[in-house]
Amino acid sequence: MDLKYLNTFRAVVEMGSFVKAADRLNYTQSAITFQMSQLEKELDTQLFEKAGRNMVLTQAGKLLVPYVNEVFASVDKLYAFHNDLQQCQGDLYIGAGETLLCYKLPAVLKEFHQQAPKAKLHLQSMNCYDIRDELLNGSLDLGVFYEDVGGFGSNLTVYPCGEYPLVLVASPDMGKEYSDFITGDRRIPVSFIINETNCIFRQIFEDYLKEKSLILDHTIELWSIPTIKNLVKSDVGISYLPRFAVAGELAAGELVELPTAVSHPYIKAVCAHHKNKWISPLVQLFIDLCKGIE
């Protein structure tokens, strides 16, 4: 049996259609159709049936899924044996939330490279929702992100990496002028400087503003945490960030913390992988280092 056919079958199942599987694998749709027809002939059973304009799994197709997953788990083990077992080398694809990448992972990465100098690390700064989705579809080996995004149920295996407080910060001058973010039903003429819409701590604070009926001037949306902090220090606006990201500025008096009544001002960091992921020595090393994050 050709592994290529099984890989195509897996892509169709994960992507939900022949068209999307063709895009993912860079095949024509007719090539996908041909390969699935050949697989059905080899297994002597129908794997897909038409439902409206879509192709859906038959009962036999559903039963085949765990067998295919097992086959590719074994293939991963063979590659891991070759690449990792003796010298902890090979490729590792990791997505990380920006605040964690900037402030929590440098020590992990330093230790990882010392222990696995022959490993090739492919590291991306990503939105936490995108990390979750790419772990679910198998595009990433590991993700370091905030568990608060939810939506992964039992499909991901997660390892806690700490629970961290969130703080509302402003410059000392702005903090004196606009210190009350607890009294509700008001308009506060300051700007909110924060990451893009799907930033989890942005969502937490915006939910709080709605709950308290607090209206701010407008939102300045940036990707760079250092840039956000510099603008806040320059009296441009306020921000809501993990305390570890502003600890230095708070200690130096460049920023001040403003009190809020957010019901649970904490965020949980995790290292995660797909539940079917083969845990090679290289993957295990990175997980163990992440579990030691302080």
Side-chain angles (χ1 to χ4, degrees):
M1 185 175 295
D2 195 329
L3 278 178
K4 179 172 66 178
Y5 297 166
L6 295 180
N7 186 54
T8 299
F9 174 80
R10 182 173 63 166
V12 172
V13 171
E14 290 177 351
M15 302 305 294
S17 75
F18 282 23
V19 173
K20 291 179 180 179
D23 289 340
R24 177 173 169 178
L25 298 174
N26 199 27
Y27 289 159
T28 63
Q29 189 175 347
S30 60
I32 298 288
T33 302
F34 172 78
Q35 289 184 27
M36 293 303 90
S37 175
Q38 291 298 110
L39 183 60
E40 288 178 330
K41 287 180 181 178
E42 288 192 34
L43 295 173
D44 193 25
T45 189
Q46 185 179 353
L47 300 174
F48 297 94
E49 59 187 356
K50 202 163 184 63
R53 301 178 65 180
N54 299 319
M55 297 297 288
V56 298
L57 286 172
T58 62
Q59 185 60 34
K62 293 176 182 178
L63 291 173
L64 180 62
V65 171
Y67 289 96
V68 172
N69 288 338
E70 187 175 342
V71 167
F72 283 101
S74 296
V75 170
D76 285 345
K77 291 177 183 179
L78 288 173
Y79 281 121
F81 178 81
H82 174 73
N83 290 327
D84 295 339
L85 191 56
Q86 297 302 320
Q87 299 183 18
C88 219
Q89 63 183 12
D91 293 274
L92 196 58
Y93 292 83
I94 299 174
E98 191 202 358
T99 48
L100 293 167
L101 182 57
C102 285
Y103 301 101
K104 291 295 181 181
L105 286 184
V108 169
L109 296 172
K110 179 180 179 180
E111 183 64 24
F112 178 81
H113 283 299
Q114 287 177 346
Q115 294 194 36
K118 295 187 178 181
K120 187 174 182 181
L121 195 61
H122 304 267
L123 187 63
Q124 301 178 66
S125 174
M126 299 172 63
N127 173 271
C128 293
Y129 287 94
D130 293 334
I131 294 171
R132 176 200 65 190
D133 293 344
E134 294 205 19
L135 287 172
L136 290 172
N137 69 32
S139 301
L140 291 174
D141 294 314
L142 289 169
V144 184
F145 63 113
Y146 294 114
E147 184 182 41
D148 305 69
V149 299
F152 42 80
S154 62
N155 293 308
L156 298 184
T157 300
V158 300
Y159 307 89
C161 297
E163 184 176 62
Y164 304 103
L166 296 163
V167 294
L168 182 65
V169 293
S171 68
D173 288 342
M174 186 166 284
K176 290 177 183 177
E177 188 171 358
Y178 304 105
S179 60
D180 185 3
F181 284 82
I182 295 178
T183 304
D185 300 306
R186 294 185 303 120
R187 177 181 289 274
I188 305 175
V190 298
S191 299
F192 184 37
I193 311 173
I194 199 65
N195 273 27
E196 42 78 43
T197 306
N198 283 336
C199 167
I200 190 66
F201 33 90
R202 170 178 176 170
Q203 294 175 347
I204 291 171
F205 190 66
E206 287 180 337
D207 286 344
Y208 171 72
L209 294 176
K210 291 177 184 177
E211 175 190 327
K212 301 290 288 186
S213 297
L214 293 174
I215 301 173
L216 304 188
D217 191 11
H218 66 284
T219 298
I220 299 173
E221 189 175 289
L222 299 168
W223 266 94
S224 168
I225 298 298
T227 302
I228 290 172
K229 293 195 296 182
N230 283 335
L231 291 182
V232 174
K233 287 190 290 185
S234 300
D235 302 324
V236 177
I238 61 169
S239 192
Y240 192 67
L241 297 166
R243 179 183 290 277
F244 64 72
V246 291
E249 290 80 5
L250 289 171
E254 298 173 320
L255 294 175
V256 295
E257 179 180 350
L258 304 179
T260 71
V262 176
S263 59
H264 187 73
Y266 293 90
I267 197 165
K268 293 180 180 179
V270 296
C271 179
H273 58 77
H274 194 281
K275 66 178 182 180
N276 295 328
K277 174 69 182 174
W278 162 241
I279 307 304
S280 67
L282 191 62
V283 171
Q284 189 64 59
L285 171 61
F286 198 90
I287 291 171
D288 289 342
L289 292 173
C290 284
K291 286 160 66 177
I293 291 176
E294 298 180 354

